[in-house]
Amino acid sequence: MTITRLTALGREEPSLLALAGRLLAVAESGLPRMLLPGGEAFAFTMAGRRAPDGSWSLERRGTSTRYAAITALGVRFLPEDRQRAVLAGRTAEEFTGLLVESLPAVTNLGDAALIAWAAAETGHPKLSDALARVDALDEEHRPQYTVEAAWVLSALAAARGTVDVERRFSAARDRLLRARLGDSPLFPHATGPGLLPWYRAHVSCFADQTYPLQALARAHASGDGDPEALAAAEACAARICALQGDGGQWWWHYDARTGGVVEGYPVYSVHQHAMAPTALFDLADAGGTDFGAAIRKGLGWMTDVPELAARPERREPMILDELGVTWRKVHRGDPRKAVRAARGLGVRVSPKLRLTPLDRVYRPVSVDRECRPYEFGWMLYAWEGGRI
């Protein structure tokens, strides 16, 4: 019998199964509202506004190619009729085709890599064209942002069984492994010097961890096995899970040199319900450690937010079923992200410096009332994808 990730969740913690089902229903109802008129592109974000009578309204703002590609990656796991319901009558493959056709105008490596990844996973016939665009944008020996380098590797791993990508695959795999600083298990924000100012070159974010560990796990699973890649993914996963907050929080900024936390906030909903699960699930599917307990703990944060519970007057739900959104994050509300800047510079000088008075001055009790389509794309990928 095929066991889905949701089935396994129900066996381990039945109460969370209902929460996951609720979140997936929110995703399917919310994504169509994020499509721009014509159904060929997704908004960058949905911004919530509360009226004096307490009612909410949403406004589409901007457009995002990468968010559209991530959405296609997740929606492809739905039955065809539900794919069409989400994508204005198109299947995930058909929608990916629109993105592939747009590639000549795409200049961002990450956007191109995500489109190629979606083309590989949906079986699009122009996969080779998508990979060629990635190759054209990925200048050899030039440092890249780690997230985008990870997406390149994931795309190549997904394409490996269809197209000959071995040379590019090996280079992308080696680039990620070489990016780590010293013996730290965590990944930096860029794969080499030159992209970041000196004073924040050591600071990396949660996405800089989940996407590389996912890519390396998928690289291991895509061929005859790659113990070095799997070990690197394992070490990164073990570290972020060891640092996970008592309330299930996945923290935001890390010191890539030491493997410690620089600044925990904001806590993002997408990390809790989607990005951590999809990366850790892919690691387990590749034969790595099962970090299911950490996944479940993080998911529970969505309805039990300790930051807001500590201030009853600020308490509000992170999931709004009727609007089809999950609010984006809980944050400090500090001007110009002062805490992150101070702590980043502080640990640059002294890795153990914490500047704890900042926690009392800027408490994490503010809610960012936005929701972005990629959040639901990764949620669908995490919970509807994969078979145990």
Side-chain angles (χ1 to χ4, degrees):
M1 181 181 69
T2 298
I3 303 174
T4 67
R5 291 166 175 174
L6 285 172
T7 305
L9 177 67
R11 289 180 176 179
E12 294 291 338
E13 216 158 325
S15 63
L16 288 181
L17 177 62
L19 173 57
R22 178 187 173 195
L23 285 164
L24 290 166
V26 168
E28 284 194 59
S29 68
L31 280 171
R33 306 175 199 180
M34 298 178 177
L35 274 172
L36 298 180
E40 297 182 356
F42 273 92
F44 174 76
T45 192
M46 299 289 279
R49 177 175 295 179
R50 194 169 194 173
D53 64 3
S55 63
W56 288 96
S57 61
L58 294 173
E59 178 189 359
R60 285 192 296 261
R61 294 180 181 172
T63 184
S64 174
T65 298
R66 68 176 49 184
Y67 291 178
I70 293 169
T71 300
L73 278 166
V75 170
R76 85 169 187 88
F77 289 106
L78 297 175
E80 182 178 321
D81 61 328
R82 289 161 62 190
Q83 292 182 32
R84 294 186 184 279
V86 169
L87 297 173
R90 296 181 175 89
T91 66
E93 181 188 347
E94 291 165 352
F95 187 80
T96 298
L98 299 177
L99 298 174
V100 172
E101 293 301 323
S102 75
L103 274 169
V106 171
T107 58
N108 179 271
L109 175 62
D111 292 3
L114 286 164
I115 293 171
W117 185 358
E121 293 216 3
T122 61
H124 196 275
K126 291 189 176 181
L127 170 60
S128 293
D129 292 348
L131 291 170
R133 186 58 180 158
V134 174
D135 201 33
L137 293 172
D138 196 3
E139 299 176 36
E140 193 171 2
H141 306 306
R142 179 178 179 273
Q144 301 290 350
Y145 290 107
T146 298
V147 164
E148 297 184 352
W151 288 339
V152 170
L153 181 57
S154 287
L156 294 170
R160 208 174 177 192
T162 306
V163 181
D164 181 8
V165 296
E166 290 309 302
R167 182 190 64 81
R168 288 178 287 176
F169 175 88
S170 295
R173 174 256 192 207
D174 292 347
R175 173 172 59 190
L176 270 187
L177 291 176
R178 288 197 307 266
R180 292 170 297 173
L181 305 177
D183 59 359
S184 172
L186 300 186
F187 291 85
H189 193 58
T191 62
L195 292 179
L196 302 167
W198 66 268
Y199 55 84
R200 77 167 309 269
H202 60 297
V203 178
S204 61
C205 68
F206 188 71
D208 295 325
Q209 315 313 320
T210 57
Y211 291 125
L213 83 84
Q214 178 185 30
L216 291 167
R218 294 174 65 83
H220 169 75
S222 68
D224 297 326
D226 186 339
E228 185 181 2
L230 183 64
E234 283 268 1
C236 179
R239 186 60 179 155
I240 62 173
C241 289
L243 294 171
Q244 188 179 23
D246 291 340
Q249 301 95 333
W250 295 108
W251 302 125
W252 182 216
H253 278 104
Y254 301 86
D255 189 331
R257 305 165 303 174
T258 66
V261 174
V262 171
E263 161 59 2
Y265 293 95
V267 172
Y268 287 86
S269 293
V270 66
H271 298 167
Q272 306 297 133
H273 65 54
M275 281 171 53
T278 197
L280 296 174
F281 278 139
D282 278 359
L283 175 61
D285 287 353
T289 298
D290 179 359
F291 288 101
I295 292 171
R296 295 189 294 274
K297 187 177 180 181
L299 182 63
W301 180 91
M302 291 299 303
T303 52
D304 185 12
V305 182
E307 291 82 0
L308 302 181
R311 297 283 295 274
E313 74 279 7
R314 304 296 292 269
R315 189 178 300 173
E316 63 177 287
M318 297 298 291
I319 308 168
L320 281 77
D321 306 70
E322 68 283 2
L323 288 183
V325 297
T326 56
W327 290 146
R328 181 164 168 73
K329 64 180 184 279
V330 170
H331 61 108
R332 294 186 186 279
D334 47 328
R336 302 179 65 85
K337 302 175 183 177
V339 176
R340 182 181 74 183
R343 283 188 166 151
L345 187 57
V347 298
R348 179 77 184 183
V349 177
S350 176
K352 294 184 178 180
L353 187 64
R354 292 301 305 143
L355 301 175
T356 52
L358 293 173
D359 290 325
R360 294 190 294 272
V361 177
Y362 299 111
R363 296 183 182 277
V365 294
S366 298
V367 175
D368 181 355
R369 300 177 185 90
E370 290 186 44
C371 186
R372 301 183 181 181
Y374 86 101
E375 302 176 28
F376 291 159
W378 284 137
M379 186 198 297
L380 291 168
Y381 197 96
W383 296 100
E384 299 285 4
R387 294 295 182 267
I388 301 171

